[in-house]
Amino acid sequence: MPNSDSLSSNEIIAASAGHPGSVGVFDSGYGGLTVLRSLQQALPEADFIYLGDNARAPYGNRSFDLIYHFTRQATEYLFSRGCQLVILACNTASAKALRTIQQNDLPRWDPARRVLGVIRPTVEAVGNITRTGAVGLVGTPGTVASQSYDLELAKLHPGIRFYSHACPMWVPLVENLESNGPGADYFVKRDIEELLKKAPDIDTLILGCTHYPLLIDKIRQFAPSNLQIVLQGEIVANSLLDYLQRHPDMDARITRNGTTEYITTEEADKFSNLAAVFMGKPVKAHRENL
Ligand code: DGL
């Protein structure tokens, strides 16, 4: 066995080409845990590696180049750990980095692996949810500015009227454990009111950031009771099941021992304690530098 310290990451990725591995799940921080939870329920026997780049979160206010650079590093790391399939459980990374990684990086690393995002499955699902044909989205400034949802919706459901609103404070509230505090009341109320001012006719609201389910109590408190709130976890999990059914070659390349490895780029104990709250079970994370 060659010493992995002396190999480039391309050589390490090449060494695991075609071998079964875990499903990689990536987010800038804790938010992707809301997707991981649904993935574990949908595929209880699969192995997962969760990577949260907490040291550099939040991504939402950062430039395109930096989000691409960070997401590329994270994906490369997960591939070097043997993952054959990586889910970007982060709207900001899906909006800003997914396409470039799929088109430029994946063919060089290993064209047989896959990187999937969360925006396309969400947009596919939303067409069956709205009754009035008017849909709102709350997301990070990066996701909203990218217009990824606007473009996908126009392609898949051209009749839908779409309104988006950036909420720059929501991810920092979650990452700083303030989801239940008075700051969350203030910002969630303000941002929902601002969206509804622009879009009084929406009947569906996409939570276009995987951190936002952690603010769901506040969102329900300040949103009109008839507004349908779209959470991404279950949608992404169902879409993955469908994908694996259509791609049995990839399905066969997922190991199935029912394990999840949790990795953070920040302090491991802090991540473990908070992740345990999100996951509803004990979590033991370790730290890696990307
Ligand atoms: N969970 C990420 C998303 O879905 C949050 C991005 C951030 O770090 O700002 O967009």
Side-chain angles (χ1 to χ4, degrees):
M1 178 81 182
N3 175 3
S4 61
D5 287 350
S6 61
L7 297 176
S8 71
S9 76
N10 274 352
E11 288 169 321
I12 297 169
I13 292 174
S16 61
H19 293 289
S22 306
V23 176
V25 181
F26 168 67
D27 181 53
S28 59
Y30 298 105
L33 293 169
T34 62
V35 174
L36 175 68
R37 215 180 149 137
S38 300
L39 292 172
Q40 288 175 335
Q41 277 158 10
L43 287 165
E45 287 161 9
D47 295 318
F48 295 97
I49 300 179
Y50 183 87
L51 173 60
D53 190 9
N54 298 76
R56 304 187 290 195
Y59 281 12
N61 301 320
R62 294 188 186 273
S63 69
F64 173 94
D65 285 349
L66 217 48
I67 294 168
Y68 164 61
H69 176 64
F70 291 168
T71 307
R72 185 186 181 283
Q73 280 183 330
T75 309
E76 189 171 18
Y77 171 79
L78 288 166
F79 282 159
S80 77
R81 293 291 319 279
C83 298
Q84 303 291 313
L85 173 67
V86 168
I87 313 237
L88 301 184
C90 174
N91 288 266
T92 311
S94 299
K96 300 252 181 180
L98 177 63
R99 182 159 308 188
T100 317
I101 288 175
Q102 285 173 333
Q103 291 176 354
N104 294 356
D105 300 303
L106 199 54
R108 283 188 292 108
W109 286 329
D110 177 359
R113 299 194 202 204
R114 287 290 171 269
V115 187
L116 305 175
V118 292
I119 295 178
R120 176 85 185 199
T122 307
V123 169
E124 281 171 2
V126 116
N128 298 323
I129 298 175
T130 176
R131 300 274 163 263
T132 62
V135 171
L137 169 113
V138 279
T140 66
T143 298
V144 169
S146 74
Q147 299 196 324
S148 299
Y149 275 93
D150 315 48
L151 297 170
E152 286 292 334
L153 272 164
K155 256 191 269 164
L156 294 185
H157 311 294
I160 285 182
R161 296 183 303 290
F162 178 66
Y163 308 86
S164 57
H165 184 72
C167 307
M169 291 305 292
W170 291 20
V171 171
L173 284 166
V174 172
E175 291 279 323
N176 289 291
L177 314 186
E178 290 290 341
S179 310
N180 294 315
D185 281 309
Y186 174 80
F187 284 109
V188 171
K189 180 170 185 291
R190 186 195 72 178
D191 285 317
I192 290 197
E193 281 173 1
E194 284 180 6
L195 171 69
L196 290 171
K197 238 185 266 163
K198 293 188 259 189
D201 56 335
I202 55 171
D203 71 341
T204 303
L205 176 64
I206 302 172
L207 300 191
C209 171
T210 54
H211 281 66
Y212 293 177
L214 296 156
L215 291 164
I216 189 70
D217 293 343
K218 302 282 178 211
I219 295 167
R220 287 200 206 284
Q221 184 184 339
F222 296 114
S225 56
N226 60 349
L227 196 61
Q228 308 180 79
I229 296 174
V230 178
L231 299 157
Q232 294 180 302
E234 209 179 308
I235 291 173
V236 173
N238 287 337
S239 161
L240 179 63
L241 287 178
D242 178 56
Y243 178 86
L244 293 175
Q245 218 159 30
R246 289 184 288 109
H247 297 87
D249 53 321
M250 181 56 83
D251 191 48
R253 279 191 285 141
I254 295 174
T255 53
R256 288 180 155 81
N257 303 299
T259 67
T260 300
E261 179 181 345
Y262 294 88
I263 303 171
T264 174
T265 55
E266 246 288 353
E267 220 241 294
D269 285 346
K270 184 179 168 206
F271 182 91
S272 302
N273 291 339
L274 192 61
V277 177
F278 289 11
M279 301 302 290
K281 57 188 172 194
V283 167
K284 181 101 190 80
H286 63 97
R287 180 181 187 158
E288 293 288 338
N289 295 320
L290 293 180

